[in-house]
Amino acid sequence: MIQNNASLLDNLEKDCLSCQRCDLSRGRHNVVFGVGAPDAEVLFIGEGPGEQEDLKGEPFVGKAGILLDKMLRAVDLDRNKNIYIANIVKCRPPQNRDPLPEEQELCIAWLRRQFALIRPKIIVCLGRIAAARIIKPDIRIKKEHGKIFRKGGVIMMPILHPAALLRNPADKPAAFEDFLRLQQLIEEHCEHTYDKLNSE
Ligand code: URA
């Protein structure tokens, strides 16, 4: 039987839930695999779960996530309908420290497999850690957020991390500009993202 994307992603999530590839697995309450439409044309990638995400098993559900959802809604994007959200590492680093390069290295295989199933047209990297891992190691996020990169046929855009926007609210208008640019990119390159918002 040919399995569809949703069930292949479900199977991948089941495997991921028992992952013990690195020490982050020892301190976790939950693996934070990802959330969203299995056939999303736009994939958002964050850094790693924080406290709330670890407790709930879902990415971006704390204060930064509330802000992210608001900005998404402003450009007709919705984690439950037309995008997918995942992180570089699936388990919470202690005290919310940056994930170590070796933790990223061990975990990134899960994200690669998510990417291979979802096959997004656009990747949005939330913050420096994700952008450095996915777009280019020497990214300067304050300078280069909102810039469009192309890699292997996929359009990529780094944006400011919503937690950084909570610390520096003066950057919110610039971040909003990036979301408007993203909306334009979606209109130009995606086929069903905005149709899905209005479905059922
Ligand atoms: N920050 C991230 O980068 N990812 C989350 O899931 C939550 C906060």
Side-chain angles (χ1 to χ4, degrees), residues 41-142:
E41 293 170 306
V42 189
L43 170 62
F44 283 76
I45 303 178
E47 172 181 329
E51 186 181 15
Q52 294 305 313
E53 291 77 20
D54 173 57
L55 290 173
K56 293 203 180 138
E58 181 171 334
F60 287 97
V61 291
K63 281 187 190 148
I66 292 169
L67 176 58
L68 176 62
D69 279 339
K70 266 192 201 160
M71 299 186 90
L72 290 171
R73 248 194 321 274
V75 292
D76 294 326
L77 298 177
D78 180 331
R79 66 169 72 200
N80 295 309
K81 292 200 167 176
N82 58 1
I83 58 165
Y84 195 94
I85 308 179
N87 281 310
I88 298 285
V89 296
K90 311 298 193 211
C91 297
R92 183 191 180 199
Q95 280 84 48
N96 298 340
R97 65 158 168 73
D98 291 350
L100 303 173
E102 55 268 33
E103 292 161 350
Q104 296 183 34
E105 201 56 56
L106 287 164
C107 203
I108 201 87
W110 294 114
L111 184 61
R112 286 209 187 98
R113 291 169 73 184
Q114 286 173 298
F115 170 81
L117 290 173
I118 299 167
R119 293 190 293 125
K121 296 202 163 80
I122 300 176
I123 291 181
V124 181
C125 293
L126 294 151
R128 179 183 59 83
I129 297 278
R133 190 81 217 179
I134 304 293
I135 299 176
K136 57 171 186 164
D138 60 346
I139 191 105
R140 297 179 67 189
I141 194 75
K142 276 281 222 175

